[in-house]
Amino acid sequence: MEVEIKFRIPDPEKIERVLRDRAEFVIEKIEHDYYFNHPCRDFRETDEALRVRKDVEGVTLTYKGKKIDSETKTREEFKVKLDNFEAARKILEKLGFRKAGEVVKRRKIYRDGDVIICLDHLDGIGSFVELEIESDDVEEAKRRVFRYAEMLGLGGEKSIRKSYLEMVLDVADSN
Ligand code: ATP
Ligand code: CA
Ligand code: CA
C-alpha cells in the first residue's frame, strides 16, 4: 500500500533545512505526468488513477486504487517501468483510454529510513510536501507519517487529500 499524506507549505526552505540535517537527499527532477480516464468507468467517481510518468529516471506506468480512509491518501498502488512513453500512450489510447489531464512538477526527494519525503512545486499552484511509506501495515505507517509531519513542524496543519491533477484541472477551469 501507498501510505501518503500531503500538506501545502508556504515556506519550503524551512522544511528543507530540517530535512538536510536528518534525511538523505535522493534526487531533484521534473515529473511529467499524463493521466487517463477509463472508457466505461469515470475515475473521478471511482477515485482510481491510471498514469504514465516521464522523468529523468525513465517512464513509469502506475495504477492507483481508491483512497481507503478520510484523513490520508492511502491506497493500493501498482507500478511498472516502461521504456517508451509515446508507445505506452498509444496503447492506452487505442484501447479506449482518454487523456484526463497532465501535471508537471518539480520534485525534490529525500529519504529518512523508509519515509520518503517529496518537496513538490507546481507553477501557478504552489509548494507542497508529501510524506510516504510503502507498507502493508497501514495503521503503523499512518502513525509514523503523521509523527514525521509533526517533526517537520506541520503538526498543526491540515493534511490535504486533493490530487495534483485536480488542482491543475481547477486552475484550467477558472481560466
Ligand atoms: P505520486 O504520489 O504517485 O508521485 P503525485 O504526488 O504526483 O503522485 P497525487 O496527487 O498524489 O500525485 O496522485 C495523483 C492523483 O490524480 C490521484 O489521487 C488520482 O486519484 C488523481 N486522478 C487520476 N485520474 C483522475 C481523473 N480522471 N480525474 C480526477 N482525478 C484523477
Ligand atoms: Ca506517492
Ligand atoms: Ca502523491
Side-chain angles (χ1 to χ4, degrees), residues 2-4 51 53 64 73 77 79 107 118 130-132:
E2 174 194 35
V3 177
E4 179 183 293
R51 173 181 78 202
R53 167 172 292 171
K64 290 174 187 259
K73 302 179 83 242
E77 183 183 65
K79 291 189 230 180
R107 171 167 272 183
C118 295
E130 291 195 345
L131 308 176
E132 175 174 336

Short mmCIF file of all heavy atoms in Angstrom, two decimals, residues 2-4 51 53 64 73 77 79 107 118 130-132, ligand 2:
data_model
loop_
_atom_site.label_atom_id
_atom_site.label_comp_id
_atom_site.label_asym_id
_atom_site.label_seq_id
_atom_site.Cartn_x
_atom_site.Cartn_y
_atom_site.Cartn_z
N GLU A 2 0.34 2.28 -0.66
CA GLU A 2 0.97 3.60 -0.62
C GLU A 2 0.29 4.36 0.52
O GLU A 2 -0.89 4.70 0.43
CB GLU A 2 0.71 4.32 -1.97
CG GLU A 2 1.19 5.75 -1.99
CD GLU A 2 0.65 6.56 -3.19
OE1 GLU A 2 -0.50 6.34 -3.62
OE2 GLU A 2 1.38 7.43 -3.67
N VAL A 3 1.04 4.59 1.60
CA VAL A 3 0.51 5.35 2.73
C VAL A 3 1.08 6.76 2.60
O VAL A 3 2.30 6.95 2.68
CB VAL A 3 0.90 4.72 4.07
CG1 VAL A 3 0.40 5.57 5.24
CG2 VAL A 3 0.35 3.30 4.17
N GLU A 4 0.22 7.74 2.34
CA GLU A 4 0.71 9.07 1.97
C GLU A 4 -0.11 10.19 2.59
O GLU A 4 -1.33 10.11 2.63
CB GLU A 4 0.67 9.19 0.43
CG GLU A 4 1.14 10.53 -0.09
CD GLU A 4 1.03 10.66 -1.61
OE1 GLU A 4 1.75 9.94 -2.33
OE2 GLU A 4 0.20 11.46 -2.07
N ARG A 51 -1.81 6.32 -14.85
CA ARG A 51 -0.88 7.39 -15.20
C ARG A 51 0.36 6.85 -15.88
O ARG A 51 0.87 5.79 -15.53
CB ARG A 51 -0.47 8.08 -13.90
CG ARG A 51 0.63 9.11 -14.07
CD ARG A 51 1.01 9.73 -12.75
NE ARG A 51 1.85 8.85 -11.98
CZ ARG A 51 2.00 8.91 -10.66
NH1 ARG A 51 1.33 9.80 -9.95
NH2 ARG A 51 2.81 8.08 -10.05
N ARG A 53 4.12 8.31 -16.30
CA ARG A 53 5.01 9.37 -15.84
C ARG A 53 6.33 9.29 -16.59
O ARG A 53 6.88 8.21 -16.76
CB ARG A 53 5.27 9.23 -14.33
CG ARG A 53 6.42 10.10 -13.82
CD ARG A 53 6.53 10.09 -12.31
NE ARG A 53 5.37 10.76 -11.71
CZ ARG A 53 5.10 10.76 -10.41
NH1 ARG A 53 5.89 10.12 -9.57
NH2 ARG A 53 4.04 11.40 -9.94
N LYS A 64 -3.51 3.43 -9.43
CA LYS A 64 -3.82 3.68 -8.01
C LYS A 64 -5.28 3.33 -7.76
O LYS A 64 -6.15 3.74 -8.53
CB LYS A 64 -3.60 5.15 -7.66
CG LYS A 64 -2.13 5.59 -7.63
CD LYS A 64 -2.03 7.11 -7.43
CE LYS A 64 -0.62 7.62 -7.57
NZ LYS A 64 0.03 7.85 -6.28
N LYS A 73 -4.04 9.84 2.09
CA LYS A 73 -4.23 9.48 0.68
C LYS A 73 -3.84 8.02 0.46
O LYS A 73 -3.44 7.63 -0.64
CB LYS A 73 -3.38 10.40 -0.20
CG LYS A 73 -3.70 11.87 -0.01
CD LYS A 73 -2.82 12.75 -0.89
CE LYS A 73 -3.37 12.84 -2.29
NZ LYS A 73 -2.48 12.32 -3.31
N GLU A 77 -1.34 0.64 -4.78
CA GLU A 77 -0.60 1.23 -5.91
C GLU A 77 0.24 0.16 -6.59
O GLU A 77 0.93 -0.60 -5.92
CB GLU A 77 0.30 2.36 -5.40
CG GLU A 77 1.06 3.09 -6.49
CD GLU A 77 2.01 4.16 -5.94
OE1 GLU A 77 2.98 3.79 -5.23
OE2 GLU A 77 1.78 5.33 -6.21
N LYS A 79 3.06 -0.29 -9.79
CA LYS A 79 3.89 0.47 -10.73
C LYS A 79 4.69 -0.48 -11.61
O LYS A 79 5.12 -1.54 -11.14
CB LYS A 79 4.93 1.30 -9.98
CG LYS A 79 4.38 2.44 -9.18
CD LYS A 79 5.51 3.30 -8.67
CE LYS A 79 5.34 3.54 -7.19
NZ LYS A 79 6.37 4.34 -6.59
N ARG A 107 10.15 18.12 -8.33
CA ARG A 107 10.08 17.32 -7.11
C ARG A 107 11.49 17.07 -6.59
O ARG A 107 12.35 16.60 -7.32
CB ARG A 107 9.37 16.01 -7.40
CG ARG A 107 9.40 15.00 -6.29
CD ARG A 107 8.42 13.85 -6.53
NE ARG A 107 7.09 14.16 -5.99
CZ ARG A 107 6.07 13.31 -6.01
NH1 ARG A 107 6.19 12.12 -6.56
NH2 ARG A 107 4.91 13.66 -5.48
N CYS A 118 8.76 14.12 -0.28
CA CYS A 118 8.82 14.81 -1.57
C CYS A 118 8.49 16.28 -1.36
O CYS A 118 7.42 16.61 -0.82
CB CYS A 118 7.80 14.22 -2.55
SG CYS A 118 8.14 12.52 -2.99
N GLU A 130 4.95 15.92 0.52
CA GLU A 130 4.28 14.63 0.66
C GLU A 130 5.16 13.71 1.48
O GLU A 130 6.36 13.62 1.24
CB GLU A 130 4.01 13.98 -0.70
CG GLU A 130 2.98 14.69 -1.53
CD GLU A 130 2.49 13.84 -2.70
OE1 GLU A 130 3.12 12.83 -3.05
OE2 GLU A 130 1.45 14.22 -3.27
N LEU A 131 4.56 13.02 2.43
CA LEU A 131 5.28 12.04 3.24
C LEU A 131 4.69 10.68 2.95
O LEU A 131 3.47 10.51 3.01
CB LEU A 131 5.11 12.36 4.74
CG LEU A 131 5.45 13.79 5.13
CD1 LEU A 131 5.15 14.02 6.60
CD2 LEU A 131 6.90 14.09 4.82
N GLU A 132 5.55 9.73 2.60
CA GLU A 132 5.05 8.43 2.16
C GLU A 132 5.85 7.28 2.74
O GLU A 132 7.06 7.34 2.85
CB GLU A 132 5.11 8.37 0.62
CG GLU A 132 4.72 7.01 0.09
CD GLU A 132 4.63 6.96 -1.43
OE1 GLU A 132 4.42 8.00 -2.08
OE2 GLU A 132 4.78 5.85 -1.97
CA CA B 2 3.07 8.76 -3.51
#
